[in-house]
Amino acid sequence: MLNLDGKNALVTGIANNRSIAWGIAQQLHAAGANLGVTYLPDEKGRFEKKVGELVEPLKPSLFLPCNVQDDHQVETLFKTIGDQWGKLDILIHCLAFADKDDLSGDFSQVSREGFTRALDISAYSLVQLSAAAKPLMSQGGSIVTLTYLGGVRVIPNYNVMGIAKAALEMNVRYLAGEMGPLGIRVNGISAGPIRTLASSAVGGILDMIHHVEEVAPLRRTVTQQEVGNTATFLCSDLASGITGQILYVDSGYCIMGM
Ligand code: NAD
């Protein structure tokens, strides 16, 4: 049954009400999960306030800062989860970053610094958070990350983020191989293009969405809620035999040749 009562779920990557992670958090909550939510701290505390107000109706029992480039913050986050929850069942990795300049124009012009930052935040962070979650998933668990078709095909302007998603998808397989014997499943959702803060940095995102609306079998792109439904399924016992997979939630776009 799709019932997450008694499950502790950590959701990363909520920035605002358009975030895919917000769609996921709502569906996990509806299925009965106890939520922990992280936000990316900034100097003026804007994200803390904004995300805090947004998630308030879901009554998260943990609300903590998490910049994945700050090892101390990640350590504190998982120590708090251990102290307050004792165990973690679900980890939602729903974050990415690349410099706007690296998300348009010629891919070959990406700087070493931009390349490294994109791969660090968008791909290495899954390894980092999964390693920290592993000892807390003593009764098994489910880890879900978000990827995009640009990690397996060339999508104009997606550029360095495509390389990060390719690494992320391989991370899913290696982590699934390592953690499967412990009952921890690791999967990715490859979502169709959705207007969000992160996607607005990708050159021509609206054209990408319009193209999907014209070509995808369902003749539309997907919603945050649809991605949330699939994530909730992947975190539930209904998906107990699924690990190491990338599931496409993209209105069928990826099957088309023309
Ligand atoms: P979003 O801007 O709402 O979410 C991106 C999140 O990443 C934000 O919450 C931001 O705070 C977080 N983040 C950035 N740098 C961070 C850091 N150093 N530490 C911790 N968090 C950090 O955009 P979104 O589209 O909901 O993106 C969520 C995920 O979905 C990303 O992995 C994205 O690549 C993926 N995705 C998005 C689409 C799309 O079209 N929107 C499609 C497929 C996959």
Side-chain angles (χ1 to χ4, degrees), residues 115-129:
F115 188 98
T116 307
R117 190 180 303 122
L119 272 282
D120 181 28
I121 297 177
S122 314
Y124 176 70
S125 61
L126 177 67
V127 183
Q128 175 191 23
L129 297 185

Side-chain angles (χ1 to χ4, degrees), residues 21-100:
W22 171 235
I24 297 174
Q26 288 174 291
Q27 301 311 311
L28 290 174
H29 172 75
N34 170 42
L35 292 187
V37 169
T38 69
Y39 60 90
L40 179 63
D42 61 312
E43 274 175 17
K44 292 186 176 160
R46 283 173 304 187
F47 275 121
E48 179 176 6
K49 187 169 181 295
K50 200 168 165 182
V51 178
E53 285 170 2
L54 178 69
V55 301
E56 211 268 328
L58 307 186
K59 309 228 170 318
S61 59
L62 285 178
F63 182 65
L64 289 165
C66 176
N67 179 339
V68 293
Q69 292 200 294
D70 182 335
D71 288 339
H72 179 65
Q73 236 170 55
V74 173
E75 225 171 84
T76 306
L77 168 67
F78 283 90
K79 181 167 184 330
T80 311
I81 293 174
D83 291 346
Q84 297 198 19
W85 286 353
K87 62 149 187 153
L88 180 65
D89 305 287
I90 292 165
L91 169 65
I92 304 294
H93 174 275
C94 194
L95 59 96
F97 180 82
D99 292 334
K100 201 169 190 303

Side-chain angles (χ1 to χ4, degrees), residues 6-256:
K7 302 281 186 195
N8 295 322
L10 180 69
V11 180
T12 65
I14 301 178
N16 57 37
N17 64 359
R18 289 191 165 195
S19 295
I20 292 176
W22 171 235
I24 297 174
Q26 288 174 291
Q27 301 311 311
L28 290 174
H29 172 75
N34 170 42
L35 292 187
V37 169
T38 69
Y39 60 90
L40 179 63
D42 61 312
E43 274 175 17
K44 292 186 176 160
R46 283 173 304 187
F47 275 121
E48 179 176 6
K49 187 169 181 295
K50 200 168 165 182
V51 178
E53 285 170 2
L54 178 69
V55 301
E56 211 268 328
L58 307 186
K59 309 228 170 318
S61 59
L62 285 178
F63 182 65
L64 289 165
C66 176
N67 179 339
V68 293
Q69 292 200 294
D70 182 335
D71 288 339
H72 179 65
Q73 236 170 55
V74 173
E75 225 171 84
T76 306
L77 168 67
F78 283 90
K79 181 167 184 330
T80 311
I81 293 174
D83 291 346
Q84 297 198 19
W85 286 353
K87 62 149 187 153
L88 180 65
D89 305 287
I90 292 165
L91 169 65
I92 304 294
H93 174 275
C94 194
L95 59 96
F97 180 82
D99 292 334
K100 201 169 190 303
D101 289 350
D102 292 332
L103 294 170
S104 62
D106 289 342
F107 165 61
S108 63
Q109 294 307 303
V110 65
S111 65
R112 176 170 293 162
E113 202 193 347
F115 188 98
T116 307
R117 190 180 303 122
L119 272 282
D120 181 28
I121 297 177
S122 314
Y124 176 70
S125 61
L126 177 67
V127 183
Q128 175 191 23
L129 297 185
S130 299
K134 185 178 170 183
L136 294 170
M137 291 187 161
S138 48
Q139 300 171 22
S142 174
I143 298 173
V144 174
T145 187
L146 265 293
T147 184
Y148 176 60
L149 186 64
V152 290
R153 307 236 189 106
V154 176
I155 305 283
N157 299 319
Y158 204 61
N159 295 2
V160 71
M161 191 54 81
I163 314 308
K165 292 305 189 193
L168 182 76
E169 293 187 13
M170 209 58 213
N171 285 344
V172 166
R173 299 183 189 100
Y174 272 94
L175 290 168
E178 174 187 324
M179 298 191 186
L182 302 171
I184 302 171
R185 298 180 294 105
V186 188
N187 292 290
I189 295 175
S190 187
I194 300 175
R195 278 189 79 174
T196 63
L197 194 61
S199 73
S200 66
V202 180
I205 178 70
L206 289 182
D207 293 339
M208 282 161 75
I209 292 175
H210 291 147
H211 181 65
V212 167
E213 286 167 350
E214 278 171 19
V215 171
L218 298 182
R219 298 289 190 270
R220 62 176 179 82
T221 191
V222 293
T223 64
Q224 288 85 340
Q225 190 189 342
E226 287 176 309
V227 178
N229 285 338
T230 303
T232 305
F233 158 71
L234 283 174
C235 294
S236 77
D237 289 345
L238 290 181
S240 56
I242 302 176
T243 195
Q245 303 302 313
I246 305 298
L247 243 70
Y248 281 77
V249 180
D250 69 343
S251 302
Y253 178 78
C254 69
I255 66 165
M256 301 305 290

